[in-house]
Amino acid sequence: MMRAAGLVVWQAHQAAARILKPGVTTGELNLAYRETFERCGATSLFLNYGGPPPFPAETCISINEEVVHGIPGSRVVQTGDLVSLDTGCRLDGWCGDAAVTHAVGPISATHQKLLDVTLGTLNLAIELMASCTLWSQVAREMEALVRDSGFWVVEEMVGHGIGRDLHEPPQVPNYFSEALAGSDDFDLRPGVVLAIEPMVNAGTKKLVCLDDDWTVVTEDGKASAHFEHTIAITSDGPQKLTGPPATDELAELPQWLQDPDQWVIW
Ligand code: MG
């Protein structure tokens, strides 16, 4: 049932990726998410979340130095932007959550490396979840990969357990700490479902929240990237619940989503 919710999240990200180009507004991107959730009978987990003020949209859209929680609206996407899209939905009582950062047109070598390292950190975590028995072992390797690349892992925001609710225990940090060496550590065993979401900054890891009370930006104005999947640990290893459809799932998708050559994969 969590896979069903995750597949809706994946479809919504595909719908947004299809219209992402210079000139589109962040509000138009958000509409692609809303329409996908409505078509699939899913409920947004982000709309009206938290506050005050509650988050006013289905998707967090964060561009360049914006790390997370950017509010969609009239902002126009430009060539060279790094556009982070983070969304989640509930379907039949179960949740899915995923994020991706897209490059819009040509970007600098540093920004491409930032995307590669951030996605690489997520993929490393998923791979290590197959063999590690404690999250601290995974987090240590994620942090090392980012540090060895010359970038910084965001520490103020972390991944999370996910199930019937979007944010469930435990907290899932992307770095090692004394707390994670102690009581904050947790077992990786079949049945555990985690939203793994490394956020990586090109410069300082320090963050600032803007006056809208939501948008989080890097203190030095340098770029940030964010990739996330909802991952279930099963007896067959980690499974991407927000990943692309398997062959036997294709029939339930709209025609335009049935061609794997059109998919944005992460
Ligand atoms: Mg999340």
Side-chain angles (χ1 to χ4, degrees):
M1 293 184 79
M2 291 193 72
R3 167 56 180 162
L7 188 54
V8 174
V9 170
W10 180 87
Q11 291 183 65
H13 276 305
Q14 300 300 316
R18 193 160 74 141
I19 62 168
L20 177 61
K21 54 179 181 290
V24 73
T25 67
T26 53
E28 288 165 340
L29 291 168
N30 184 66
L31 191 58
Y33 289 89
R34 183 187 306 161
E35 289 175 347
T36 303
F37 294 158
E38 286 175 355
R39 171 173 61 77
C40 297
T43 309
S44 169
L45 292 167
F46 288 22
L47 181 64
N48 295 322
Y49 183 94
F55 192 77
E58 283 79 357
T59 301
C60 298
I61 304 184
S62 310
I63 298 180
N64 300 333
E65 79 285 359
E66 296 172 352
V67 181
V68 286
H69 304 166
I71 299 174
S74 58
R75 180 168 178 173
V76 176
V77 172
Q78 313 280 343
T79 299
D81 279 346
L82 299 183
V83 180
S84 296
L85 302 152
D86 185 3
T87 202
C89 75
R90 182 182 279 119
L91 182 71
D92 297 328
W94 295 91
C95 298
D97 184 14
V100 58
T101 302
H102 296 292
V104 180
I107 56 172
S108 69
T110 300
H111 285 178
Q112 186 60 55
K113 182 181 172 188
L114 179 66
L115 295 186
D116 294 344
V117 168
T118 311
L119 178 55
T121 303
L122 173 59
N123 286 332
L124 174 67
I126 297 169
E127 184 187 319
L128 289 174
M129 287 168 76
S131 55
C132 293
T133 55
L134 291 169
W135 178 255
S136 59
Q137 299 163 337
V138 178
R140 197 189 284 272
E141 297 303 319
M142 295 172 80
E143 181 181 16
L145 174 60
V146 173
R147 189 181 54 232
D148 292 348
S149 306
F151 298 140
W152 290 91
V153 175
V154 170
E155 297 181 359
E156 291 176 53
M157 275 164 306
V158 298
H160 48 95
I162 180 170
R164 288 192 175 277
D165 288 317
L166 171 63
H167 293 131
E168 297 186 356
Q171 293 205 1
V172 185
N174 304 299
Y175 65 99
F176 186 76
S177 64
E178 287 308 310
L180 202 55
S183 59
D184 283 3
D185 207 359
F186 55 88
D187 292 330
L188 299 175
R189 49 180 162 71
V192 170
V193 185
L194 305 171
I196 315 287
E197 50 179 319
M199 290 147 259
V200 177
N201 292 352
T204 181
K205 64 186 176 186
K206 290 182 183 167
L207 308 179
V208 175
C209 188
L210 299 186
D211 289 343
D212 63 16
D213 288 331
W214 278 105
T215 310
V216 174
V217 301
T218 57
E219 189 187 68
D220 62 5
K222 292 187 178 176
S224 185
H226 183 200
F227 287 88
E228 175 182 28
H229 271 303
T230 297
I231 305 294
I233 303 175
T234 75
S235 51
D236 294 326
Q239 287 189 10
K240 250 183 223 179
L241 298 183
T242 42
T247 307
D248 62 357
E249 293 173 320
L250 286 176
E252 64 197 79
L253 302 183
Q255 194 67 39
W256 69 271
L257 272 173
Q258 296 193 16
D259 177 6
D261 290 341
Q262 305 298 317
W263 298 348
V264 175
I265 305 277
W266 76 99

